[in-house]
Amino acid sequence: MPDLVELWKAAGPGISKWQWFAVMEVVHAGLGMVRSPVGTTGVQVFSRLVLVEVLNGLSVKQAEGVAPFIAAMSIAWSVTEVVRYPFYGLGILGMCPKFLTFLRYTLFLVLYPMGVSGEMGVLNKTLPQLAAALPETKGWLLRNVLQPGLSSAHAWPTVCAIYALCFPPLYFYMLGQRKKVLGGKPKGSKEKKQ
């Protein structure tokens, strides 16, 4: 298995640029171009931006022990996007196959917790090093938006509180969407009368 930290160093800047394009998802939701809620979309995009900036701002030495969390986060993000974008694209064309709809509204059951665990693991392992290295940090988001919070002793408890407040609504929103799209009961089943 390749060294994921070194792999991130090579791929991270490109991933970061693409994640900044994801801000358009929030704009599209705000303009009503897609049915996604602005708040949940904004939370997801912002958390990804923070994570890619955190990882891009680390030296390899600072990233010790973070590889398993990079793997969990990256796999969850990648599989999610590989399913989501064809789902949206084919849906616009009115040609979305049932298996893709099923994957879109089922894989999140595992991928959301996996991604959040990876993200929290990355932050847990890297926040202390980032706080110590903030003056030399490269990323705009880290330097200008997150710097005051990262240098605080309350950074990790704050991150945990944010995830505790934001993850359940995202997850339960998707559970509701799953029930709405896939239905609660298989077609043709009859309810028993009591």
Side-chain angles (χ1 to χ4, degrees):
M1 183 157 121
D3 182 2
L4 291 175
V5 175
E6 288 293 336
L7 183 60
W8 185 271
K9 287 293 165 197
I15 293 170
S16 184
K17 287 175 188 157
W18 286 108
Q19 285 303 316
W20 277 99
F21 280 120
V23 171
M24 292 307 296
E25 290 184 37
V26 182
V27 173
H28 294 156
L31 294 173
M33 295 170 68
V34 293
R35 292 179 294 174
S36 301
V38 176
T40 55
T41 304
V43 167
Q44 287 177 309
V45 169
F46 183 74
S47 73
R48 286 188 179 194
L49 287 173
V50 168
L51 267 294
V52 296
E53 292 291 331
V54 163
L55 288 170
N56 289 341
L58 291 176
S59 70
V60 173
K61 186 175 187 285
Q62 290 170 320
E64 283 182 25
V66 80
F69 301 110
I70 292 173
M73 178 185 82
S74 298
I75 291 167
W77 288 5
S78 299
V79 173
T80 297
E81 301 310 334
V82 164
V83 171
R84 189 166 67 140
Y85 285 109
F87 169 81
Y88 285 148
L90 292 171
I92 289 170
L93 299 172
M95 309 171 25
C96 189
K98 289 182 181 181
F99 82 89
L100 198 54
T101 301
F102 177 79
L103 290 175
R104 167 73 175 118
Y105 291 105
T106 303
L107 288 177
F108 83 91
L109 293 167
V110 174
L111 295 176
Y112 268 34
M114 181 180 173
V116 166
S117 299
E119 292 172 18
M120 290 186 75
V122 166
L123 292 171
N124 184 34
K125 293 285 188 185
T126 60
L127 283 177
Q129 294 89 343
L130 278 174
L134 276 173
E136 302 94 41
T137 301
K138 298 178 230 170
W140 177 87
L141 186 64
L142 285 175
R143 272 196 329 273
N144 298 302
V145 177
L146 303 173
Q147 185 170 7
L150 286 175
S151 58
S152 162
H154 305 291
W156 177 241
T158 302
V159 166
C160 290
I162 290 169
Y163 271 91
L165 291 171
C166 294
F167 175 70
L170 291 170
Y171 197 75
F172 289 119
Y173 170 76
M174 284 301 294
L175 281 174
Q177 290 298 103
R178 183 178 197 276
K179 185 174 182 181
K180 183 174 154 184
V181 172
L182 298 180
K185 296 184 175 124
K187 289 182 180 179
S189 69
K190 295 181 180 181
E191 285 187 348
K192 291 181 181 178
K193 291 186 180 181
Q194 295 179 344

